[in-house]
């Protein structure tokens, strides 16, 4: 199968590319620079220069392949609303290009919009009026009845592994800067987690099963108490672990205090996907996690 992948040199996207190539698929990856294009070619993929704002390029690529996997997202939180709009426009471009083709369009979302007071499941839909600016799931859902096999893979808040540059490194950086690894309240709010290799493998498995369902959860651990994460970081950095008010975390407070516990039981039962990577706390016990 010929697959177009955005975010193809990214944290999860690069794993997806390797998974697809190793399984015998042909891959074209979107690359923002010649340097990234060269990295894709060295990996054995083809490269298409462009950005998520190059809608004609995206539409042409989607028309030329048998499936699209969209993982690219600008995680600069200082312009999160703008980046969410860019993401939605890209998804709408892909959907329009694939309309009526019955080709899979697999997009990426997160579990941060589903703080339900219980473990969320693949049956829980993000409401159309969600206040979360990131509307990836809602955007792709609109094409499900228009001849597109539209699916969303929801990633856990921590997609971890050595070289991580996501949410956990933000906590590590805060702990370094403030001299304390902090949590809010009793720290019993829970974060799901998944190793990046397991997350990348799930995209391939979903694709090879024909992406028959609208939602999948890339979750290996349903929920790790935030205090346990703070304690692991405290041990790794040799700093105290203490409760703090939400303003200690600034713009990150809603994430640090959020309870995002989620199950992936439906995904596992449907696809036979079984995570095999180390746990988040096992990764955080490794000195390499603190080298950045």
């Amino acid at each position: 199968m010929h697959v177009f992948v955005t975010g193809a040199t990214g944290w999860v996207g690069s794993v997806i590319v390797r998974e697809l190539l190793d399984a015998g698929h042909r891959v074209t990856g979107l690359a923002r620079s010649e340097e990234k294009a060269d990295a894709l070619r060295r990996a054995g993929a083809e490269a298409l220069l462009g950005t998520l704002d190059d809608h004609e390029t995206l539409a042409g690529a989607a028309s030329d392949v048998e499936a699209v996997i969209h993982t690219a997202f600008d995680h600069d939180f200082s312009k999160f609303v703008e980046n969410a709009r860019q993401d939605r426009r890209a998804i709408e471009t892909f959907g329009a290009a694939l309309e009526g083709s019955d080709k899979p369009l697999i997009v990426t979302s997160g579990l941060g919009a589903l703080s339900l007071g219980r473990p969320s499941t693949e049956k829980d839909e993000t409401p159309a009026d969600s206040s979360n600016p990131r509307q990836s799931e809602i955007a792709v859902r609109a094409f499900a009845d228009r001849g597109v096999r539209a699916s969303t893979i929801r990633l856990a808040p921590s997609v971890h592994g050595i070289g991580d540059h996501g949410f956990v490194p933000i906590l590590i950086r805060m702990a370094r800067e403030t001299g304390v690894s902090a949590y809010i309240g009793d720290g019993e709010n829970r974060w799901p987690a998944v190793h990046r290799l397991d997350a990348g493998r799930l995209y391939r498995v979903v694709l090879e099963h024909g992406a028959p369902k609208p939602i999948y959860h890339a979750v290996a651990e349903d929920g790790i108490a935030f205090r346990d994460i703070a304690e692991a970081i405290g041990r790794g950095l040799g700093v105290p672990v203490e409760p703090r008010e939400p303003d200690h975390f600034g713009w990150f407070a809603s994430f640090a205090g959020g309870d995002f516990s989620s199950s992936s039981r439906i995904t596992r039962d449907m696809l036979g996907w079984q995570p095999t990577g180390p746990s988040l706390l096992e990764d955080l016990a490794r000195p390499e996690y603190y080298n950045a």
Side-chain angles (χ1 to χ4, degrees):
M1 186 180 296
H2 187 187
V3 187
F4 182 57
V5 180
T6 72
T9 58
W11 180 239
V12 176
S14 59
V15 179
I16 297 169
V17 169
R18 176 46 53 200
E19 283 279 338
L20 293 173
L21 290 172
D22 287 350
H25 299 287
R26 178 184 169 193
V27 177
T28 297
L30 185 68
R32 289 177 295 166
S33 67
E34 279 293 350
E35 180 183 5
K36 292 182 182 296
D38 287 343
L40 283 170
R41 295 183 190 109
R42 287 195 299 272
E46 300 166 45
L48 178 66
L49 282 171
T51 72
L52 291 183
D53 293 320
D54 296 329
H55 296 153
E56 288 188 13
T57 299
L58 300 184
S63 298
D64 289 342
V65 298
E66 296 164 88
V68 174
I69 295 177
H70 173 52
T71 70
F73 191 86
D74 186 341
H75 287 92
D76 180 350
F77 286 95
S78 68
K79 53 177 185 174
F80 186 67
V81 173
E82 177 185 339
N83 295 339
R85 288 175 182 151
Q86 179 192 56
D87 174 62
R88 180 162 192 156
R89 287 192 296 266
I91 292 171
E92 290 170 345
T93 298
F94 287 134
L98 295 175
E99 192 167 340
S101 68
D102 197 38
K103 294 178 182 179
L105 169 58
I106 301 169
V107 308
T108 306
S109 186
L111 287 159
L114 292 171
S115 186
L116 304 177
R118 60 164 174 80
S120 65
T121 77
E122 297 87 338
K123 293 182 179 180
D124 292 309
E125 285 192 352
T126 300
D129 60 353
S130 171
S131 60
N132 185 348
R134 187 168 183 180
Q135 302 278 299
S136 315
E137 180 181 326
I138 296 165
V140 77
R141 201 158 68 205
F143 292 95
D145 297 324
R146 293 160 62 180
V148 179
R149 271 185 280 162
S151 298
T152 301
I153 293 180
R154 295 172 176 160
L155 294 176
S158 176
V159 182
H160 57 90
I162 301 304
D164 186 356
H165 49 270
F167 282 177
V168 168
I170 290 174
L171 296 172
I172 292 172
R173 185 165 60 251
M174 286 183 178
R176 278 199 174 104
E177 292 172 353
T178 64
V180 60
S181 183
Y183 55 91
I184 296 172
D186 61 8
E188 290 301 314
N189 59 298
R190 296 158 296 174
W191 272 20
V194 65
H195 193 274
R196 67 185 288 246
L197 298 182
D198 289 320
R201 178 161 47 87
L202 178 58
Y203 283 82
R204 175 184 59 78
V205 173
V206 168
L207 177 70
E208 291 179 344
H209 277 74
K213 297 294 183 181
I215 301 292
Y216 301 91
H217 279 188
V219 171
E221 299 175 272
D222 290 7
I224 307 159
F226 192 87
R227 180 171 181 166
D228 291 341
I229 297 172
E231 288 176 345
I233 292 171
R235 287 191 295 271
L237 295 178
V239 300
V241 181
E242 300 173 2
R244 287 290 189 271
E245 293 300 316
D247 59 6
H248 172 87
F249 293 91
W251 66 269
F252 198 67
S254 62
F255 294 105
D259 187 78
F260 308 120
S261 180
S262 301
S263 167
S264 61
R265 180 54 53 199
I266 294 173
T267 296
R268 298 187 196 209
D269 290 348
M270 183 187 309
L271 304 176
W273 174 73
Q274 291 297 329
T276 60
S279 71
L280 173 58
L281 296 184
E282 287 171 340
D283 261 353
L284 286 175
R286 300 175 64 182
E288 303 97 305
Y289 229 91
Y290 305 89
N291 288 342

